[in-house]
Amino acid sequence: MIQVGMFSAAGRRSPEVLHQTLDALSATEWDDVRLYLDDGRYGGFSNYNRATIGLLEGAEPHDHVLALQDDMVPCKYARRIAERATADRPDAVHVLYTAEQNIPHDKRGCSGWVGINPGWHGWGGLFVIPAWIGRQMVAHDFWQNHLHNYEPNRQTDACTFETLKLMGVPIFTHVPSLFQHIGTDSTVGHTHLEGATGYRFSEWTQ
């Protein structure tokens, strides 16, 4: 089972995206989402950490956790594809929002799950993480240093990718991307770069 949580900042930047995201999730079988709202005490990475730990605390040994941003919409089949993948590879992390830069050049024309290992330079995210791996991840020295010493309090994707790389965890991302961003602003407090779209996401609607 995938335990799902959403981290968001109340009243910060385009708050309507939160409702758009929840509606889109509910319409595509993701209707059991726990909200982790930031009233200003946490910030981007700290609230992501809070959501991840909250999901892990309620997870059974064979569960997976997914902490997602408040500005993402899935394709119709995202949950079923993700659950099938976690059953096939319970030892791996599966990334649901696919950034083109993370994919090896010779794999960009493929369809299905592709192995990646971008480390700190990776972005995109939406990590479906086995609970037993997640517990090691949030306790890892690199993660803890980022949480307590990285002053901008952001880089959720980069820190997750780098920690998993240091742990030697297999990572797969899906082509086409299973999720897409809504607009350019997030209530988490960042602005997406122009062209920052889920890789080949439009193929789900063709």
Side-chain angles (χ1 to χ4, degrees), residues 30-194:
W30 303 79
D31 53 3
D32 50 355
V33 180
R34 278 178 271 176
L35 285 177
Y36 293 86
L37 294 173
D38 181 6
D39 60 4
R41 291 180 294 170
Y42 296 98
F45 186 82
S46 292
N47 200 35
Y48 171 57
N49 175 73
R50 170 179 168 240
T52 302
I53 289 174
L55 292 169
L56 289 168
E57 288 175 345
E60 298 293 333
H62 298 294
D63 283 349
H64 289 67
V65 299
L66 166 62
L68 55 85
Q69 296 99 315
D70 57 5
D71 58 347
M72 308 294 294
V73 295
C75 75
K76 180 179 179 180
Y77 309 105
R79 183 155 201 162
R80 277 174 273 176
I81 293 172
E83 288 179 341
R84 191 179 309 122
T86 60
D88 291 342
R89 288 295 306 265
D91 63 325
V93 167
H94 294 85
V95 178
L96 307 188
Y97 177 76
T98 302
E100 182 176 8
Q101 73 173 48
N102 294 341
I103 309 170
H105 287 280
D106 62 343
K107 300 293 186 182
R108 293 183 182 181
C110 297
S111 294
W113 294 103
V114 176
I116 61 171
N117 191 21
W120 178 258
H121 300 291
W123 65 275
L126 301 192
F127 302 87
V128 179
I129 305 173
W132 63 274
I133 291 176
R135 293 186 178 102
Q136 295 177 38
M137 180 184 74
V138 298
H140 194 277
D141 287 346
F142 188 87
W143 183 284
Q144 287 294 313
N145 181 64
H146 188 82
L147 177 64
H148 296 293
N149 298 314
Y150 184 67
E151 188 173 349
N153 199 8
R154 296 186 181 179
Q155 301 287 6
T156 58
D157 300 333
C159 180
T160 305
F161 274 122
E162 181 65 15
T163 305
L164 293 171
K165 181 177 183 178
L166 293 170
M167 292 170 61
V169 175
I171 305 172
F172 295 91
T173 195
H174 197 275
V175 179
S177 180
L178 298 173
F179 273 74
Q180 176 66 300
H181 274 300
I182 299 174
T184 58
D185 291 327
S186 168
T187 60
V188 173
H190 59 265
T191 300
H192 308 303
L193 298 175
E194 184 178 354

